[in-house]
Amino acid sequence: MLARPPILRAIMMMCLAALCFTLNDTMTKFLLVDYHVTVIILLRSLMAMPLLMVLGLMLGGGPVRWSRRVWFHALRGAINLLGAYLYIKGLTYLTVAEASVIVFASPCMVTAGSVLFFKEAVIWQKWAAVLVSFVGVIIAIQPGAGTFQPASLFILGAAFLYAINSLTSRWIPEQDSLWTVSFLGAAASALFIAPFTIGHWSHVDPLDITWFAGAALCSSLGIGLGTLAYRSAPAADLAPFSYSGLIWSIIVTWIVWSAAPGLATLLGALIIAASSAFHFMARRQTAVASE
């Protein structure tokens, strides 16, 4: 992956991050039957730290190193946790499909933020790719008529916080590797969520350790890969590829629960894939023309 052009490498990291988040959601869904969400986040974060240290050494990434902006990592961890809380709070009143449509407003916010804060030149093809992909999400998920109600503000707030975390990735030091970013993200989550587990603790079944370990790695690597992607490429170029999470979700749901996607779902996924391909080709043509 390191030998590829920076933008292609960033796109690959973004798509892999979306896959990691989808796998994390799938494993967490099984754990939610027996454990409170705060306990899941705490155990997931605690298990992630030693696993990331070992993986970093085994895969040649070197040891996890201390960041010179560790407090910035902690702040981003707190923002991410608050976003997760708002998302779960919104799910109390909305269906998963309705919440997903609203939270997928985040790539649009990232594109707008890249213009406002980083003065990125966002050509019409980029806006078209983001908006058309969002239309693809709506077609695939088909939310109900009651989606936009007061409870939707919780999900909208989560989308806003996720967008902030994506945009602030630009300020992560270049020296911070995937393993450092993922490790510090897990450490921040464990630190901030620990007080909220009081009163919710329950016995952990040894058979569930595998689910916790899998969720730990997927969640932390998703955060790390997404952060490095936004750090190494313009935010507006990556925003359309955030929607790849829907495509991964369709595939994983099909494999795990044998739930074949309907025609509307496949059409929405096709629109997202075509829009992202259009965006990538338009960007390449623009880059060639400017040379």
Side-chain angles (χ1 to χ4, degrees):
M1 184 182 294
L2 293 176
R4 299 180 183 277
I7 183 60
L8 184 57
R9 186 169 67 245
I11 290 172
M12 292 175 64
M13 287 192 291
M14 178 58 61
C15 293
L16 285 174
L19 173 60
C20 286
F21 286 134
T22 299
L23 294 175
N24 168 66
D25 291 346
T26 302
M27 287 180 275
T28 299
K29 185 176 179 65
F30 288 112
L31 293 171
L32 280 170
V33 176
D34 299 308
Y35 305 96
H36 192 267
V37 63
T38 56
V39 174
I40 294 173
I41 294 174
L42 177 61
L43 290 179
R44 188 180 68 188
S45 302
L46 291 175
M47 293 183 67
M49 291 187 283
L51 289 173
L52 289 168
M53 293 177 69
V54 172
L55 271 181
L57 292 173
M58 289 179 57
L59 299 179
V64 173
R65 302 184 185 279
W66 194 253
S67 173
R68 59 185 175 87
R69 292 186 180 174
V70 65
W71 292 110
F72 183 61
H73 285 280
L75 176 60
R76 296 181 76 251
I79 292 173
N80 189 61
L81 268 182
L82 180 56
Y85 170 79
L86 291 176
Y87 184 76
I88 295 171
K89 185 73 172 177
L91 282 178
T92 306
Y93 308 97
L94 301 172
T95 66
V96 173
E98 291 167 342
S100 296
V101 167
I102 299 172
V103 82
F104 268 123
S106 184
C108 298
M109 296 178 184
V110 169
T111 302
S114 68
V115 176
L116 292 174
F117 300 109
F118 300 120
K119 308 302 179 183
E120 291 182 5
V122 181
I123 58 177
W124 71 268
Q125 289 96 332
K126 295 182 182 181
W127 279 113
V130 172
L131 296 176
V132 171
S133 294
F134 186 64
V135 171
V137 171
I138 295 176
I139 292 174
I141 297 178
Q142 295 181 305
T147 299
F148 298 100
Q149 53 180 291
S152 65
L153 294 177
F154 289 121
I155 309 297
L156 196 61
F160 178 73
L161 292 174
Y162 292 151
I164 288 177
N165 255 10
S166 298
L167 290 168
T168 56
S169 299
R170 192 72 60 86
W171 298 319
I172 297 293
E174 286 292 333
Q175 295 79 11
D176 292 356
S177 67
L178 168 64
W179 310 109
T180 295
V181 173
S182 301
F183 180 91
L184 292 177
S189 294
L191 176 65
F192 291 125
I193 201 65
F196 299 99
T197 62
I198 298 174
H200 298 296
W201 194 259
S202 59
H203 171 72
V204 178
D205 189 331
L207 296 177
D208 291 333
I209 296 299
T210 302
W211 292 114
F212 276 109
L217 282 177
C218 289
S219 174
S220 297
L221 289 176
I223 293 173
L225 287 166
T227 297
L228 296 191
Y230 276 113
R231 184 183 69 179
S232 58
D237 283 339
L238 295 178
F241 297 93
S242 301
Y243 293 109
S244 63
L246 177 63
I247 298 176
W248 291 125
S249 179
I250 294 171
I251 296 173
V252 171
T253 300
W254 196 347
I255 294 173
V256 176
W257 286 286
S258 300
L263 181 61
T265 303
L266 291 175
L267 176 60
L270 181 61
I271 290 174
I272 292 171
S275 177
S276 297
F278 165 77
H279 168 82
F280 183 69
M281 295 304 296
R283 188 192 181 282
R284 288 190 61 183
Q285 290 178 358
T286 302
V288 170
S290 61
E291 290 178 355

